[in-house]
Amino acid sequence: MAHYRAPDPKREQFRRYLEKAGVVDSLTSVLVALYEQQEKPNNALEFVKQHLGAAGLASADTEALQQEVIDLRQRCARLTEENKDLKSRLQRYEPEDGATAD
């Protein structure tokens, strides 16, 4: 008969840390991908290393893309403001009804 033992607080804290950091999800994804391979690779450890490395690159790519989105939104806001200013200036030189003077 198996004895139930209470979870070690340090172990539980470490498990929560791994979950929060996304390690558990990453490992699970890689292991599922390995399981779903029709032909199992000769070196399972190398498979795991490659796929975890790819996940790390994807994360770095995601961060770079997120920063690019932030930069582009800021640029768009600046250009929108510049456009508004230029339209305002242009209104001073053009008649409001759009008719041109002959």
Side-chain angles (χ1 to χ4, degrees), residues 19-63:
E19 285 179 349
K20 185 176 179 182
V23 174
V24 173
D25 288 339
S26 292
L27 286 173
T28 301
S29 296
V30 170
L31 293 174
V32 166
L34 178 58
Y35 175 79
E36 291 176 345
Q37 290 292 308
Q38 292 295 325
E39 291 185 30
K40 304 296 182 221
N42 291 331
N43 189 338
L45 183 57
E46 192 60 36
F47 178 91
V48 170
K49 285 180 183 179
Q50 287 176 349
H51 282 76
L52 280 177
L57 291 176
S59 178
D61 289 344
T62 300
E63 288 178 26

Side-chain angles (χ1 to χ4, degrees), residues 47-90:
F47 178 91
V48 170
K49 285 180 183 179
Q50 287 176 349
H51 282 76
L52 280 177
L57 291 176
S59 178
D61 289 344
T62 300
E63 288 178 26
L65 290 172
Q66 287 173 339
Q67 185 59 49
E68 186 177 359
V69 166
I70 290 168
D71 294 345
L72 290 172
R73 283 182 178 157
Q74 290 172 348
R75 182 175 179 213
C76 183
R78 282 193 308 269
L79 291 173
T80 300
E81 197 59 36
E82 181 181 349
N83 185 310
K84 182 178 172 184
D85 180 51
L86 290 172
K87 282 182 179 180
S88 171
R89 287 172 160 185
L90 187 59

